[in-house]
Amino acid sequence: MTPPTECPACGKPAGEELSCQFCNQVLFLPQGITLSTAGLRFGGYLLEFVLMICTLVIGWVIWALIVFQYGQTPAKQLLHMRVVCIPQARTAGWLRMFFREVIAKPLIGFLASFTLLIPYFWLLWDKNRQELWDKMATTLVVSDPGDLLRPQPQLSDSRAGTPQR
């Protein structure tokens, strides 16, 4: 995939980054998909905590296991954010989300306890607003207000040629 020389959203030089440094448009995704802001992501962490308490954790776990397939967590779903797999240039799948949320995040959290919580602030100076667990899973967190990246359901072969009654 050849990166564009200019941003399709604002027309400014794109450079060799994953997103436009002027308007935050993610260059390899449809127009209107931007990097999530640090404030929105922080709000997502707080909302995740509130949802865990309100659903007595088990409800959150069930909800999360369902929405992982769409590259989301419960809070990301409510805030119209999505996790994108960088190498495949599409929404992260269930396994990548499971790795990111269940393996990478707790591992980084453990390391953060020894480093004054610095890894939790990584996205503040990262040019692609990636946390360390995003780097481990090769993902970006994007704002998708129009649900442009929601995977579309596929028709099964048995129904594809059958007329509906």
Side-chain angles (χ1 to χ4, degrees):
M1 166 173 44
T2 306
T5 57
E6 68 178 37
C7 174
C10 70
K12 298 203 173 160
E16 297 189 16
E17 306 299 333
L18 296 173
S19 64
C20 176
Q21 300 302 299
F22 300 101
C23 69
N24 294 319
Q25 168 69 41
V26 178
L27 298 174
F28 59 88
L29 294 174
Q31 193 166 339
I33 306 295
T34 60
L35 288 177
S36 290
T37 64
L40 187 61
R41 290 190 66 180
F42 180 69
Y45 298 138
L46 294 178
L47 181 57
E48 213 77 75
F49 180 72
V50 169
L51 290 172
M52 282 183 185
I53 291 171
C54 290
T55 63
L56 304 175
V57 180
I58 190 68
W60 182 91
V61 169
I62 293 167
W63 187 358
L65 292 175
I66 293 168
V67 297
F68 276 3
Q69 66 184 322
Y70 304 119
Q72 295 177 309
T73 62
K76 283 179 179 53
Q77 185 180 37
L78 294 176
L79 295 173
H80 298 282
M81 295 190 305
R82 220 170 268 283
V83 178
V84 173
C85 175
I86 296 169
Q88 297 171 346
R90 64 177 180 82
T91 302
W94 197 92
L95 283 175
R96 189 170 302 261
M97 285 298 294
F98 184 83
F99 170 78
R100 181 182 184 275
E101 298 295 323
V102 178
I103 297 169
K105 269 188 182 181
L107 179 63
I108 297 300
F110 177 74
L111 295 174
S113 66
F114 297 107
T115 59
L116 302 173
L117 304 178
I118 291 171
Y120 285 115
F121 300 101
W122 198 272
L123 81 143
L124 296 176
W125 59 79
D126 189 85
K127 63 186 171 214
N128 293 311
R129 294 191 194 132
Q130 288 178 292
E131 294 278 9
L132 290 178
W133 51 80
D134 290 316
K135 291 185 178 296
M136 288 175 68
T138 61
T139 58
L140 284 177
V141 178
V142 298
S143 293
D144 184 14
D147 265 349
L148 299 173
L149 296 178
R150 182 179 175 94
Q152 299 301 317
Q154 300 291 323
L155 289 176
S156 67
D157 291 337
S158 63
R159 291 187 59 202
T162 308
Q164 294 186 350
R165 297 178 191 207

